[in-house]
Amino acid sequence: MTAYTATVTVRLKRGVLDPEAETTQKTLERLGFELADLRSADQFEVDLDAESADAAAERADEMAQRLLANPTLHDYDVVVEERGA
């Protein structure tokens, strides 16, 4: 078994209201920043042991599907990296 860190980033799908991002974008624009768009996201880092990076990604994907993301509202990405000793 190898130690991995799976990073799961969960964000609202485009078109779903994101009040936190709207407020942040308006404030950044008032501060002089030009933005085309801004979306908020939650990020989860999961340390796990698995036989391979693919196996770790499959487990993290299952976690996202079962709990971390609502497929009706959210998109998510999974990135897996081997943890150094």
Side-chain angles (χ1 to χ4, degrees), residues 6-10 42-46 57 59-61 63-65 68-69 76-79:
T7 302
V8 181
T9 303
V10 179
D42 291 319
Q43 192 171 71
F44 302 91
E45 291 185 2
V46 182
R59 286 182 52 204
D61 189 73
M63 291 175 200
Q65 289 179 25
L68 302 177
Y76 66 89
D77 298 309
V78 176
V79 176

Side-chain angles (χ1 to χ4, degrees), residues 12-77:
L12 290 169
K13 290 184 176 188
R14 292 203 181 274
V16 176
L17 292 177
D18 189 347
E20 179 182 8
E22 283 182 34
T23 301
T24 303
Q25 181 172 349
K26 287 177 185 176
T27 302
L28 286 169
E29 288 170 345
R30 277 190 222 115
L31 292 171
F33 295 98
E34 294 182 26
L35 306 173
D37 194 18
L38 184 128
R39 293 185 297 155
S40 62
D42 291 319
Q43 192 171 71
F44 302 91
E45 291 185 2
V46 182
D47 291 339
L48 58 131
D49 294 329
E51 294 294 327
S52 67
D54 287 341
E58 286 178 21
R59 286 182 52 204
D61 189 73
E62 183 180 358
M63 291 175 200
Q65 289 179 25
R66 293 181 64 185
L67 178 67
L68 302 177
N70 176 338
T72 304
L73 300 174
H74 300 112
D75 290 323
Y76 66 89
D77 298 309

